[in-house]
Amino acid sequence: MHMIDDPLTEGSDVASPAVGRGQGFYPFAEQQELAVILSLNIVFTAGKHNGSYFVVQAKDAFFDEVRELAVIGGAGRFRGATGYGIMSIHL
Ligand SMILES: *[C@@H]1O[C@H](CO)[C@@H](O)[C@H](O)[C@H]1NC(C)=O
């Protein structure tokens, strides 16, 4: 089980302006493949969404090039949010 509290930036370059934090955890959840349950609060700390967050949960399989994330709720401007996101790794 890993806990994270990582910066969220406007772009994929870590030097681009920070807009918030990705805070959550990912326990290993599968016995047959390398995958975790990713549970994250996407917390905005700047801009017009400052103080609001939305909640993401996903199956994060390490060898999938693209992973689909479920947006399952939120607070503030994101109250009642639902939707999805797409995640890939930038090396
Ligand atoms: C975000 O909101 C907090 C709490 O209201 C405030 O202290 C902070 O200065 C704000 N940050 C920005 C970058 O506007």
Side-chain angles (χ1 to χ4, degrees), residues 38-42 54-58 68-73 84-85:
L38 180 62
S39 186
L40 272 184
N41 290 340
I42 304 298
F54 63 88
V55 182
V56 163
Q57 189 157 330
E68 188 171 322
L69 315 170
V71 174
I72 60 172
Y84 72 97

Side-chain angles (χ1 to χ4, degrees), residues 26-65:
Y26 52 100
F28 282 87
E30 301 213 14
Q31 296 187 47
Q32 307 304 325
E33 64 174 315
L34 215 47
V36 298
I37 293 179
L38 180 62
S39 186
L40 272 184
N41 290 340
I42 304 298
V43 180
F44 290 85
T45 57
K48 66 178 180 180
H49 302 308
N50 188 9
S52 296
Y53 67 91
F54 63 88
V55 182
V56 163
Q57 189 157 330
K59 170 183 170 170
D60 184 356
F62 288 11
F63 298 114
D64 288 354
E65 209 162 293

